[in-house]
Amino acid sequence: AERRHLRPRALAARTDLAVLDEATGDMPAALAAHRAILEQQQQAGDRRGAAVAAANVGRLLPRTLRV
């Protein structure tokens, strides 16, 4: 039961690290992290978390596709 309680915190921490990647200009790493978080949120059945992660992926995609 305790592990289940820690999962949201772990995903929030991973999101913070992905945002840090973004802030330091490592868009490919940030995008990869947000995609992984999205998959984990979907597997966990967390619709709100998945929506936030999907928004982050959508926000970063144009920034990583620039030529």
Side-chain angles (χ1 to χ4, degrees):
E2 186 174 328
R3 290 189 101 203
R4 201 173 11 184
H5 176 69
L6 293 177
R7 184 178 182 112
R9 288 183 183 175
L11 289 172
R14 289 192 68 194
T15 300
D16 290 344
L17 292 173
V19 170
L20 184 59
D21 284 335
E22 184 180 348
T24 60
D26 192 349
M27 298 306 163
L31 180 59
H34 283 300
R35 283 181 167 164
I37 293 163
L38 172 58
E39 184 176 327
Q40 290 175 339
Q41 295 286 26
Q42 289 171 329
Q43 289 174 355
D46 182 348
R47 293 175 62 188
R48 182 189 174 284
V52 171
N56 286 331
V57 169
R59 183 175 48 78
L60 287 176
L61 270 174
R63 297 174 71 184
T64 59
L65 298 175
R66 289 185 185 159
V67 177

